[in-house]
Amino acid sequence: MPIYKRCSKCGKRIPSGTTCECIKQIRRQQKKERDKDYDQHRRNKTNAAFYKTKAWVLTKEDVLAHYMYIDLYAYYHDGKFVPATMVHHIIPVSKDYTKRLDRDNLIPLSDKRHGIVHKQMKEGREEEIIQLLLEYKEKWKKKENSEVGGVVKLF
Ligand SMILES: [Zn+2]
Ligand SMILES: [Zn+2]
């Protein structure tokens, strides 16, 4: 006759010297969380290193020059000329690392508009913003001017 004890967590009767399923389940869950944190940490490190690569610095400069250092969001959304100071990944690097140097995925923005874009994406509008930014790039490609009045014609 095995000796039984009660699980301290759920109170189920289990053979003494064994671990209750409910505790095993919690441990599995904890391990999963730890692995997830580790993966995220490793990804962040990879991404941070990427922004320092020569390939990125050159691509970024090239994209800025291609769009004449104009913040495309400010231009098409607000009808304003604002100097672009950085290049944003439309589909984030953390989501698709293979698109990190893909020019179709890159758009010049000012720091201020970049902040706005990320804030909106965080608010659950990620898909919408991605489509919007791709649209702006398409407009530029077709040499469409901003539709807002008072804007100097670019082309
Ligand atoms: Zn239990
Ligand atoms: Zn960004």
Side-chain angles (χ1 to χ4, degrees), residues 11-150:
K12 212 175 103 184
R13 206 169 71 114
I14 50 165
S16 115
T18 65
T19 307
C20 178
E21 258 317 304
C22 84
I23 288 170
K24 280 188 195 163
Q25 179 59 36
I26 291 166
R27 283 185 191 155
R28 273 197 294 270
Q29 193 54 42
Q30 283 170 340
K31 184 175 186 308
K32 229 162 107 185
E33 292 295 324
R34 275 199 309 274
D35 289 351
K36 214 169 88 188
D37 282 353
Y38 178 73
D39 282 352
Q40 186 60 48
H41 177 70
R42 212 181 40 190
R43 261 203 305 275
N44 288 347
K45 260 178 101 171
T46 309
N47 292 352
F50 161 67
Y51 287 106
K52 288 187 191 138
T53 61
K54 200 170 182 181
W56 169 246
V57 174
L58 292 176
T59 304
K60 187 180 77 178
E61 279 307 316
D62 213 35
V63 169
L64 283 168
H66 175 80
Y67 292 100
M68 299 156 69
Y69 289 81
I70 290 170
D71 175 338
L72 249 57
Y73 186 90
Y75 183 65
Y76 286 116
H77 189 269
D78 308 317
K80 282 183 185 160
F81 275 116
V82 175
T85 48
M86 56 82 58
V87 169
H88 163 74
H89 285 90
I90 298 177
I91 294 169
V93 177
S94 57
K95 269 213 158 159
D96 190 346
Y97 194 66
T98 67
K99 285 192 164 59
R100 68 196 183 282
L101 291 171
D102 181 350
R103 277 149 215 261
D104 291 339
N105 190 42
L106 300 173
I107 189 165
L109 298 174
S110 58
D111 287 345
K112 187 180 166 190
R113 259 72 182 189
H114 187 225
I116 293 172
V117 159
H118 274 277
K119 186 170 174 281
Q120 289 175 330
M121 287 170 83
K122 250 192 228 133
E123 285 166 353
R125 295 172 58 195
E126 187 159 333
E127 271 315 305
E128 187 192 329
I129 298 299
I130 287 172
Q131 286 316 313
L132 193 70
L133 297 181
L134 290 173
E135 216 175 276
Y136 292 162
K137 275 172 71 77
E138 199 53 37
K139 277 177 187 255
W140 186 272
K141 208 172 180 175
K142 290 192 207 144
K143 300 203 186 315
E144 276 181 41
N145 285 301
S146 164
E147 281 146 21
V148 180

